Amino acid sequence: MLLAFDTATPFVTVALHDGERVVASYRSGEAMRHGELLAPGITAVLDEAWVMRSDVTAIAVGVGPGPFTGLRVGLVTARTLALALSVPVYGVCSLDVLAAEAVDAGAVDGPFLVATDARRKEVYWASYDAEGHRLAGPEVARPADVATELPVVGRGALLYPEAFPHPVGPADPAAGTLAAVVTDERAELLDPEPLYLRRPDATMPGDRKKVS
């Protein structure tokens, strides 16, 4: 029984996979409330499937790239649950999950990009072949620097149509796809460490300057 969740985008997504299919799923209706909505989302999918938390045998978590706060909530929760339940935890690049979902939906039939919102008028991006294997990235860049005529999956294509005129596929990763990717080993399985790609917006203040 695999519990999967991703907090690399503004929305929380959670799913439960029994080894053959997704048996319950949840997606938050409100953005930027990872800390408040992840735990209720986990409870919701367990209750929907009539599964006890102790029945979970593994955890899958999206490791980004994504904003600092959202990723921290997801990764800390994954590591804490794995420790408490004594089960393994598998990380997956969230862009790989979007790529897999686009391939499964038949949204692409050749090379494509995945681009998600990195804020600061930038995107997190990676390139893929027709089967969803990652060729380059993930990296962070200005949309103009990675502009392409190829199909582009992810919210970045919707935010920057001048750079990505051919948007396709889902805007955000789904935990159900994340679970299937891990179950079928369709992407590189990573340690549950966040892919920030840049420093967080909030930083510790520096030393005070001496008054002369």
Side-chain angles (χ1 to χ4, degrees), residues 145-170:
D145 293 338
V146 289
T148 182
E149 293 294 323
L150 291 174
V152 179
V153 178
R155 191 167 296 276
L158 305 179
L159 293 173
Y160 303 102
E162 67 285 355
F164 310 120
H166 300 295
V168 297

PDB file of all heavy atoms in Angstrom, residues 145-170:
ATOM      1  N   ASP A 145      14.761  32.337 -22.217  1.00  0.00           N
ATOM      2  CA  ASP A 145      16.023  31.625 -22.431  1.00  0.00           C
ATOM      3  C   ASP A 145      15.814  30.167 -22.825  1.00  0.00           C
ATOM      4  O   ASP A 145      16.756  29.518 -23.301  1.00  0.00           O
ATOM      5  CB  ASP A 145      16.895  31.692 -21.176  1.00  0.00           C
ATOM      6  CG  ASP A 145      17.387  33.106 -20.888  1.00  0.00           C
ATOM      7  OD1 ASP A 145      17.415  33.922 -21.832  1.00  0.00           O
ATOM      8  OD2 ASP A 145      17.734  33.392 -19.723  1.00  0.00           O
ATOM      9  N   VAL A 146      14.612  29.635 -22.576  1.00  0.00           N
ATOM     10  CA  VAL A 146      14.325  28.248 -22.956  1.00  0.00           C
ATOM     11  C   VAL A 146      13.087  28.173 -23.851  1.00  0.00           C
ATOM     12  O   VAL A 146      12.435  27.129 -23.957  1.00  0.00           O
ATOM     13  CB  VAL A 146      14.139  27.352 -21.711  1.00  0.00           C
ATOM     14  CG1 VAL A 146      15.463  27.129 -21.009  1.00  0.00           C
ATOM     15  CG2 VAL A 146      13.124  27.942 -20.739  1.00  0.00           C
ATOM     16  N   ALA A 147      12.764  29.282 -24.513  1.00  0.00           N
ATOM     17  CA  ALA A 147      11.610  29.324 -25.404  1.00  0.00           C
ATOM     18  C   ALA A 147      11.728  28.247 -26.474  1.00  0.00           C
ATOM     19  O   ALA A 147      12.819  27.944 -26.959  1.00  0.00           O
ATOM     20  CB  ALA A 147      11.511  30.707 -26.055  1.00  0.00           C
ATOM     21  N   THR A 148      10.592  27.657 -26.841  1.00  0.00           N
ATOM     22  CA  THR A 148      10.620  26.543 -27.781  1.00  0.00           C
ATOM     23  C   THR A 148       9.296  26.421 -28.514  1.00  0.00           C
ATOM     24  O   THR A 148       8.242  26.849 -28.008  1.00  0.00           O
ATOM     25  CB  THR A 148      10.924  25.223 -27.043  1.00  0.00           C
ATOM     26  OG1 THR A 148      10.981  24.160 -27.986  1.00  0.00           O
ATOM     27  CG2 THR A 148       9.853  24.918 -26.012  1.00  0.00           C
ATOM     28  N   GLU A 149       9.352  25.834 -29.693  1.00  0.00           N
ATOM     29  CA  GLU A 149       8.152  25.492 -30.450  1.00  0.00           C
ATOM     30  C   GLU A 149       7.673  24.081 -30.122  1.00  0.00           C
ATOM     31  O   GLU A 149       6.630  23.650 -30.616  1.00  0.00           O
ATOM     32  CB  GLU A 149       8.425  25.615 -31.952  1.00  0.00           C
ATOM     33  CG  GLU A 149       8.677  27.037 -32.421  1.00  0.00           C
ATOM     34  CD  GLU A 149       7.432  27.910 -32.285  1.00  0.00           C
ATOM     35  OE1 GLU A 149       6.319  27.407 -32.525  1.00  0.00           O
ATOM     36  OE2 GLU A 149       7.585  29.096 -31.925  1.00  0.00           O
ATOM     37  N   LEU A 150       8.435  23.355 -29.319  1.00  0.00           N
ATOM     38  CA  LEU A 150       8.031  22.010 -28.919  1.00  0.00           C
ATOM     39  C   LEU A 150       6.809  22.081 -27.992  1.00  0.00           C
ATOM     40  O   LEU A 150       6.562  23.115 -27.354  1.00  0.00           O
ATOM     41  CB  LEU A 150       9.172  21.309 -28.186  1.00  0.00           C
ATOM     42  CG  LEU A 150      10.402  20.913 -28.997  1.00  0.00           C
ATOM     43  CD1 LEU A 150      11.482  20.369 -28.061  1.00  0.00           C
ATOM     44  CD2 LEU A 150      10.047  19.877 -30.054  1.00  0.00           C
ATOM     45  N   PRO A 151       6.070  20.997 -27.858  1.00  0.00           N
ATOM     46  CA  PRO A 151       5.008  20.958 -26.848  1.00  0.00           C
ATOM     47  C   PRO A 151       5.611  21.145 -25.455  1.00  0.00           C
ATOM     48  O   PRO A 151       6.704  20.652 -25.175  1.00  0.00           O
ATOM     49  CB  PRO A 151       4.422  19.555 -27.005  1.00  0.00           C
ATOM     50  CG  PRO A 151       4.798  19.122 -28.382  1.00  0.00           C
ATOM     51  CD  PRO A 151       6.121  19.755 -28.656  1.00  0.00           C
ATOM     52  N   VAL A 152       4.896  21.867 -24.608  1.00  0.00           N
ATOM     53  CA  VAL A 152       5.371  22.124 -23.249  1.00  0.00           C
ATOM     54  C   VAL A 152       4.275  21.761 -22.250  1.00  0.00           C
ATOM     55  O   VAL A 152       3.144  22.249 -22.344  1.00  0.00           O
ATOM     56  CB  VAL A 152       5.790  23.600 -23.055  1.00  0.00           C
ATOM     57  CG1 VAL A 152       6.265  23.831 -21.618  1.00  0.00           C
ATOM     58  CG2 VAL A 152       6.891  23.965 -24.040  1.00  0.00           C
ATOM     59  N   VAL A 153       4.619  20.905 -21.324  1.00  0.00           N
ATOM     60  CA  VAL A 153       3.713  20.431 -20.283  1.00  0.00           C
ATOM     61  C   VAL A 153       3.953  21.245 -19.019  1.00  0.00           C
ATOM     62  O   VAL A 153       5.093  21.588 -18.712  1.00  0.00           O
ATOM     63  CB  VAL A 153       3.956  18.933 -19.999  1.00  0.00           C
ATOM     64  CG1 VAL A 153       3.050  18.434 -18.887  1.00  0.00           C
ATOM     65  CG2 VAL A 153       3.782  18.116 -21.271  1.00  0.00           C
ATOM     66  N   GLY A 154       2.902  21.545 -18.270  1.00  0.00           N
ATOM     67  CA  GLY A 154       3.086  22.214 -16.987  1.00  0.00           C
ATOM     68  C   GLY A 154       2.562  23.639 -16.978  1.00  0.00           C
ATOM     69  O   GLY A 154       2.288  24.239 -18.019  1.00  0.00           O
ATOM     70  N   ARG A 155       2.443  24.179 -15.770  1.00  0.00           N
ATOM     71  CA  ARG A 155       1.863  25.504 -15.588  1.00  0.00           C
ATOM     72  C   ARG A 155       2.699  26.603 -16.233  1.00  0.00           C
ATOM     73  O   ARG A 155       2.182  27.662 -16.588  1.00  0.00           O
ATOM     74  CB  ARG A 155       1.687  25.760 -14.087  1.00  0.00           C
ATOM     75  CG  ARG A 155       0.869  26.986 -13.748  1.00  0.00           C
ATOM     76  CD  ARG A 155       0.473  26.998 -12.286  1.00  0.00           C
ATOM     77  NE  ARG A 155      -0.411  25.885 -11.965  1.00  0.00           N
ATOM     78  CZ  ARG A 155      -1.731  25.921 -12.157  1.00  0.00           C
ATOM     79  NH1 ARG A 155      -2.299  26.987 -12.688  1.00  0.00           N
ATOM     80  NH2 ARG A 155      -2.475  24.880 -11.824  1.00  0.00           N
ATOM     81  N   GLY A 156       4.012  26.380 -16.398  1.00  0.00           N
ATOM     82  CA  GLY A 156       4.851  27.387 -17.026  1.00  0.00           C
ATOM     83  C   GLY A 156       4.399  27.730 -18.427  1.00  0.00           C
ATOM     84  O   GLY A 156       4.490  28.894 -18.861  1.00  0.00           O
ATOM     85  N   ALA A 157       3.886  26.734 -19.156  1.00  0.00           N
ATOM     86  CA  ALA A 157       3.411  26.986 -20.513  1.00  0.00           C
ATOM     87  C   ALA A 157       2.183  27.891 -20.511  1.00  0.00           C
ATOM     88  O   ALA A 157       1.978  28.676 -21.452  1.00  0.00           O
ATOM     89  CB  ALA A 157       3.092  25.665 -21.204  1.00  0.00           C
ATOM     90  N   LEU A 158       1.364  27.800 -19.483  1.00  0.00           N
ATOM     91  CA  LEU A 158       0.177  28.632 -19.384  1.00  0.00           C
ATOM     92  C   LEU A 158       0.522  30.049 -18.947  1.00  0.00           C
ATOM     93  O   LEU A 158      -0.127  31.012 -19.361  1.00  0.00           O
ATOM     94  CB  LEU A 158      -0.814  28.010 -18.398  1.00  0.00           C
ATOM     95  CG  LEU A 158      -1.226  26.558 -18.687  1.00  0.00           C
ATOM     96  CD1 LEU A 158      -2.194  26.067 -17.620  1.00  0.00           C
ATOM     97  CD2 LEU A 158      -1.849  26.441 -20.074  1.00  0.00           C
ATOM     98  N   LEU A 159       1.560  30.181 -18.133  1.00  0.00           N
ATOM     99  CA  LEU A 159       1.949  31.492 -17.628  1.00  0.00           C
ATOM    100  C   LEU A 159       2.729  32.307 -18.654  1.00  0.00           C
ATOM    101  O   LEU A 159       2.669  33.536 -18.637  1.00  0.00           O
ATOM    102  CB  LEU A 159       2.792  31.330 -16.358  1.00  0.00           C
ATOM    103  CG  LEU A 159       2.081  30.760 -15.131  1.00  0.00           C
ATOM    104  CD1 LEU A 159       3.089  30.503 -14.014  1.00  0.00           C
ATOM    105  CD2 LEU A 159       0.997  31.723 -14.654  1.00  0.00           C
ATOM    106  N   TYR A 160       3.464  31.626 -19.532  1.00  0.00           N
ATOM    107  CA  TYR A 160       4.340  32.324 -20.473  1.00  0.00           C
ATOM    108  C   TYR A 160       4.093  31.831 -21.904  1.00  0.00           C
ATOM    109  O   TYR A 160       4.950  31.209 -22.524  1.00  0.00           O
ATOM    110  CB  TYR A 160       5.800  32.124 -20.074  1.00  0.00           C
ATOM    111  CG  TYR A 160       6.090  32.576 -18.660  1.00  0.00           C
ATOM    112  CD1 TYR A 160       6.215  31.650 -17.620  1.00  0.00           C
ATOM    113  CD2 TYR A 160       6.203  33.927 -18.355  1.00  0.00           C
ATOM    114  CE1 TYR A 160       6.462  32.067 -16.315  1.00  0.00           C
ATOM    115  CE2 TYR A 160       6.440  34.351 -17.044  1.00  0.00           C
ATOM    116  CZ  TYR A 160       6.563  33.419 -16.043  1.00  0.00           C
ATOM    117  OH  TYR A 160       6.806  33.831 -14.754  1.00  0.00           O
ATOM    118  N   PRO A 161       2.914  32.132 -22.448  1.00  0.00           N
ATOM    119  CA  PRO A 161       2.569  31.636 -23.791  1.00  0.00           C
ATOM    120  C   PRO A 161       3.463  32.206 -24.887  1.00  0.00           C
ATOM    121  O   PRO A 161       3.606  31.589 -25.948  1.00  0.00           O
ATOM    122  CB  PRO A 161       1.115  32.065 -23.964  1.00  0.00           C
ATOM    123  CG  PRO A 161       0.941  33.223 -23.036  1.00  0.00           C
ATOM    124  CD  PRO A 161       1.815  32.903 -21.850  1.00  0.00           C
ATOM    125  N   GLU A 162       4.063  33.387 -24.637  1.00  0.00           N
ATOM    126  CA  GLU A 162       4.941  33.956 -25.659  1.00  0.00           C
ATOM    127  C   GLU A 162       6.208  33.124 -25.836  1.00  0.00           C
ATOM    128  O   GLU A 162       6.781  33.065 -26.932  1.00  0.00           O
ATOM    129  CB  GLU A 162       5.312  35.398 -25.295  1.00  0.00           C
ATOM    130  CG  GLU A 162       6.184  35.585 -24.067  1.00  0.00           C
ATOM    131  CD  GLU A 162       5.476  35.409 -22.737  1.00  0.00           C
ATOM    132  OE1 GLU A 162       4.232  35.224 -22.743  1.00  0.00           O
ATOM    133  OE2 GLU A 162       6.151  35.467 -21.698  1.00  0.00           O
ATOM    134  N   ALA A 163       6.643  32.445 -24.782  1.00  0.00           N
ATOM    135  CA  ALA A 163       7.825  31.583 -24.865  1.00  0.00           C
ATOM    136  C   ALA A 163       7.457  30.145 -25.197  1.00  0.00           C
ATOM    137  O   ALA A 163       8.250  29.422 -25.806  1.00  0.00           O
ATOM    138  CB  ALA A 163       8.610  31.621 -23.549  1.00  0.00           C
ATOM    139  N   PHE A 164       6.247  29.735 -24.783  1.00  0.00           N
ATOM    140  CA  PHE A 164       5.808  28.349 -24.964  1.00  0.00           C
ATOM    141  C   PHE A 164       4.436  28.351 -25.646  1.00  0.00           C
ATOM    142  O   PHE A 164       3.401  28.202 -24.976  1.00  0.00           O
ATOM    143  CB  PHE A 164       5.735  27.639 -23.619  1.00  0.00           C
ATOM    144  CG  PHE A 164       6.978  27.785 -22.770  1.00  0.00           C
ATOM    145  CD1 PHE A 164       6.922  28.373 -21.510  1.00  0.00           C
ATOM    146  CD2 PHE A 164       8.211  27.351 -23.240  1.00  0.00           C
ATOM    147  CE1 PHE A 164       8.054  28.506 -20.727  1.00  0.00           C
ATOM    148  CE2 PHE A 164       9.354  27.475 -22.474  1.00  0.00           C
ATOM    149  CZ  PHE A 164       9.280  28.066 -21.211  1.00  0.00           C
ATOM    150  N   PRO A 165       4.394  28.527 -26.954  1.00  0.00           N
ATOM    151  CA  PRO A 165       3.114  28.677 -27.653  1.00  0.00           C
ATOM    152  C   PRO A 165       2.323  27.395 -27.838  1.00  0.00           C
ATOM    153  O   PRO A 165       1.197  27.433 -28.346  1.00  0.00           O
ATOM    154  CB  PRO A 165       3.537  29.264 -29.006  1.00  0.00           C
ATOM    155  CG  PRO A 165       4.923  28.779 -29.223  1.00  0.00           C
ATOM    156  CD  PRO A 165       5.547  28.730 -27.857  1.00  0.00           C
ATOM    157  N   HIS A 166       2.887  26.235 -27.446  1.00  0.00           N
ATOM    158  CA  HIS A 166       2.184  24.975 -27.648  1.00  0.00           C
ATOM    159  C   HIS A 166       2.024  24.213 -26.332  1.00  0.00           C
ATOM    160  O   HIS A 166       2.681  23.187 -26.093  1.00  0.00           O
ATOM    161  CB  HIS A 166       2.928  24.112 -28.673  1.00  0.00           C
ATOM    162  CG  HIS A 166       3.058  24.762 -30.008  1.00  0.00           C
ATOM    163  ND1 HIS A 166       1.969  25.054 -30.821  1.00  0.00           N
ATOM    164  CD2 HIS A 166       4.146  25.216 -30.666  1.00  0.00           C
ATOM    165  CE1 HIS A 166       2.379  25.638 -31.916  1.00  0.00           C
ATOM    166  NE2 HIS A 166       3.696  25.755 -31.856  1.00  0.00           N
ATOM    167  N   PRO A 167       1.159  24.710 -25.439  1.00  0.00           N
ATOM    168  CA  PRO A 167       0.945  24.022 -24.158  1.00  0.00           C
ATOM    169  C   PRO A 167       0.141  22.739 -24.346  1.00  0.00           C
ATOM    170  O   PRO A 167      -0.807  22.689 -25.131  1.00  0.00           O
ATOM    171  CB  PRO A 167       0.154  25.050 -23.341  1.00  0.00           C
ATOM    172  CG  PRO A 167      -0.589  25.842 -24.377  1.00  0.00           C
ATOM    173  CD  PRO A 167       0.334  25.920 -25.561  1.00  0.00           C
ATOM    174  N   VAL A 168       0.522  21.682 -23.622  1.00  0.00           N
ATOM    175  CA  VAL A 168      -0.207  20.409 -23.669  1.00  0.00           C
ATOM    176  C   VAL A 168      -0.179  19.783 -22.279  1.00  0.00           C
ATOM    177  O   VAL A 168       0.600  20.191 -21.414  1.00  0.00           O
ATOM    178  CB  VAL A 168       0.424  19.412 -24.669  1.00  0.00           C
ATOM    179  CG1 VAL A 168       0.360  19.954 -26.087  1.00  0.00           C
ATOM    180  CG2 VAL A 168       1.857  19.069 -24.289  1.00  0.00           C
ATOM    181  N   GLY A 169      -1.040  18.777 -22.102  1.00  0.00           N
ATOM    182  CA  GLY A 169      -0.947  17.962 -20.901  1.00  0.00           C
ATOM    183  C   GLY A 169      -1.372  18.672 -19.635  1.00  0.00           C
ATOM    184  O   GLY A 169      -1.919  19.772 -19.657  1.00  0.00           O
ATOM    185  N   PRO A 170      -1.095  18.071 -18.495  1.00  0.00           N
ATOM    186  CA  PRO A 170      -1.522  18.610 -17.199  1.00  0.00           C
ATOM    187  C   PRO A 170      -0.716  19.844 -16.798  1.00  0.00           C
ATOM    188  O   PRO A 170       0.423  20.023 -17.217  1.00  0.00           O
ATOM    189  CB  PRO A 170      -1.261  17.452 -16.235  1.00  0.00           C
ATOM    190  CG  PRO A 170      -0.116  16.714 -16.868  1.00  0.00           C
ATOM    191  CD  PRO A 170      -0.345  16.809 -18.347  1.00  0.00           C
TER     192      PRO A 170
END
